[in-house]
Amino acid sequence: MGKIRALVVDDTALFRKIVSNALAEIEGVEVVATAPNGKTALAKVEQIKPDIITLDIEMPDMNGIEVLERLTITKHTPGVIIVSALTLRGGALTVKALQKGAFDFITKPGGGTIDENGKAMTGSLKSIIRAWERKRSLHTSINATQYEKKTNIKTPQFSSVALLNQESKSNLINKLPSKIERVLIGVSTGGPNALSRIIPALPGTLSVPVFIVQHMPPVFTSALAQSLNDKSQLNVCEARHGISALGSTVYIAPGGKQMRIVKGQSGEQIIDITDDPPENNCKPAVDYLFRSVAINFPGNSLVVILTGMGSDGTVGVKLLKRMGCFCIAQNKETSVVYGMPRAVADCGLTDQILPLDSIPEAIVNQVERKLF
């Protein structure tokens, strides 16, 4: 397979240069063209058919959202990486772009020299592009429908205890919790789109609180919460320090902070927002939230691990499993990046492995205790 051909789209010459230089440092990537606006970008997509586009979200005449919408109806659909300013407007537009199918995003650096900014961008872009490569390889070779037709094997609904290694067998309690008192969701790359299909599908009568860690920087989590709240029967908000968690409410960990759940004087679930260090290079981190629940509220949790790079959440699920939790993981075929779900599945921690659109019903069934 040849080099990944990239198109850089930004209305600022400086950032076109910074992003182009950053991409040029990544092995196997070639910048084949740049464009100063959306209309030129669309013309070049038709002409040169790039594999990847880095797309500025805020541009005059035709912004990144409009370009993305046009790309979905073209014959050639490249992977799109949004380049966004760290602002309220930039955050809202980026969340919208991710919900419309952009692969991932990076933020524009706020200061530093061209070289410093380029190095920072190179690191971010490299991990995203490698994840996109893995996705392309998977989707080129097989999709969920073809998989079932060619092999006659259905996606497993329940994992086998035989999948557990010896260490897991000795440490885990493989039993269903007596009831579900909270839903814990961990997600990263592909998360805004996945959450936009799960949270709005949940009924407003869901009796327990939902806690979400989505790997995102500050500002963006607030925009994500607002976007989901506008579409959902449940109340969705960015979590605030010191509040008691309520049923029928979704709490999203604020970007750049850690979120844990502690026990109040009457046993209520209190949200604690801290500035503790990153874990697994993430802040907020899924493991940080899950560990707090395992310590303060052992048992009675439903865990959902969705699409994302890396393995954040796996250690936390292991801790929760010792107390008795139910774990659902998104399947490979519907994950944008099959990293986090695969990590828990490979450790034998999953009770169900499901396609994305089957997860809302599974959550409701578990909370209401209707077992499959």
Side-chain angles (χ1 to χ4, degrees):
M1 190 173 294
K3 285 192 172 185
I4 295 171
R5 304 167 75 250
L7 169 64
V8 175
V9 184
D10 199 294
D11 66 337
T12 305
L14 175 62
F15 275 106
R16 289 200 299 274
K17 179 176 178 59
I18 292 173
V19 176
S20 295
N21 290 346
L23 288 168
E25 293 296 318
I26 302 173
E27 184 179 357
V29 176
E30 177 185 8
V31 177
V32 292
T34 64
N37 56 61
K39 291 181 179 178
T40 303
L42 289 172
K44 292 197 174 185
V45 168
E46 290 294 326
Q47 179 185 358
I48 64 176
K49 296 180 172 49
D51 302 303
I52 286 280
I53 295 178
T54 64
L55 182 60
D56 184 15
I57 198 69
E58 296 185 78
M59 296 183 293
D61 298 327
M62 181 182 286
N63 65 25
I65 299 295
E66 294 169 307
V67 173
L68 191 61
E69 289 172 341
R70 292 282 294 275
L71 285 174
T72 60
I73 60 174
T74 60
K75 292 182 179 179
H76 178 75
T77 306
V80 176
I81 302 170
I82 297 297
V83 181
S84 173
L86 194 59
T87 63
L88 287 173
R89 174 173 167 77
L93 287 172
T94 299
V95 167
K96 188 174 182 179
L98 293 169
Q99 291 174 338
K100 286 181 174 292
F103 182 74
D104 207 339
F105 75 102
I106 61 172
T107 56
K108 291 183 176 181
T113 66
I114 291 180
D115 286 343
E116 289 170 343
N117 293 337
K119 287 179 181 178
M121 279 195 163
T122 295
S124 299
L125 286 168
K126 183 177 181 179
S127 61
I128 292 171
I129 288 173
R130 295 301 176 238
W132 176 83
E133 279 186 295
R134 291 191 291 272
K135 177 198 173 186
R136 181 175 64 169
S137 176
L138 170 65
H139 284 238
T140 298
S141 61
I142 196 168
N143 61 39
T145 303
Q146 291 171 332
Y147 182 79
E148 293 183 0
K149 285 181 178 178
K150 289 180 180 179
T151 65
N152 249 345
I153 298 174
K154 301 292 183 182
T155 302
Q157 296 296 299
F158 288 86
S159 63
S160 170
V161 175
L163 292 174
L164 297 172
N165 58 33
Q166 292 301 315
E167 179 184 3
S168 297
K169 286 180 180 178
S170 64
N171 289 336
L172 299 181
I173 299 174
N174 291 289
K175 65 178 184 181
L176 296 177
S178 57
K179 62 178 180 177
I180 298 299
E181 295 179 347
R182 67 201 63 82
V183 178
L184 310 172
I185 299 178
V187 61
S188 186
T189 308
N193 181 267
L195 292 172
S196 73
R197 290 163 64 179
I198 290 177
I199 302 303
L202 296 174
T205 55
L206 196 75
S207 59
V208 301
V210 179
F211 302 99
I212 298 175
V213 170
Q214 159 75 64
H215 294 158
M216 271 187 162
V219 177
F220 291 81
T221 45
S222 175
L224 175 63
Q226 184 61 59
S227 173
L228 292 174
N229 189 59
D230 291 343
K231 303 172 183 175
S232 303
Q233 299 175 62
L234 296 170
N235 296 316
V236 184
C237 63
E238 187 178 55
R240 292 184 291 111
H241 178 72
I243 63 174
S244 296
L246 304 174
S248 302
T249 307
V250 179
Y251 301 94
I252 298 178
K257 299 289 185 180
Q258 298 286 18
M259 179 173 75
R260 62 189 175 194
I261 312 302
V262 298
K263 187 171 290 188
Q265 291 183 347
S266 302
E268 66 270 33
Q269 301 176 77
I270 305 293
I271 295 174
D272 191 27
I273 304 299
T274 79
D275 200 29
D276 286 344
E279 295 187 13
N280 309 312
N281 296 314
C282 300
K283 190 175 180 180
V286 181
D287 275 336
Y288 186 93
L289 170 65
F290 287 7
R291 183 172 65 250
S292 74
V293 174
I295 293 170
N296 296 305
F297 297 95
N300 299 335
S301 292
L302 170 60
V303 177
V304 182
I305 301 294
L306 301 174
T307 174
M309 285 187 274
S311 60
D312 187 27
T314 301
V315 172
V317 176
K318 284 183 179 180
L319 292 173
L320 289 165
K321 271 290 183 183
R322 294 179 187 178
M323 313 302 175
C325 82
F326 195 91
C327 179
I328 298 171
Q330 186 176 349
N331 71 352
K332 176 173 64 175
E333 291 81 6
T334 63
S335 294
V336 172
V337 177
Y338 190 57
M340 290 166 57
R342 178 176 183 170
V344 294
D346 284 352
C347 289
L349 299 169
T350 53
D351 297 292
Q352 285 185 305
I353 300 172
L354 296 173
L356 178 62
D357 290 333
S358 297
I359 291 176
E361 182 182 4
I363 291 173
V364 173
N365 286 337
Q366 285 302 315
V367 171
E368 295 180 354
R369 224 60 197 124
K370 295 175 183 176
L371 298 182
F372 287 87

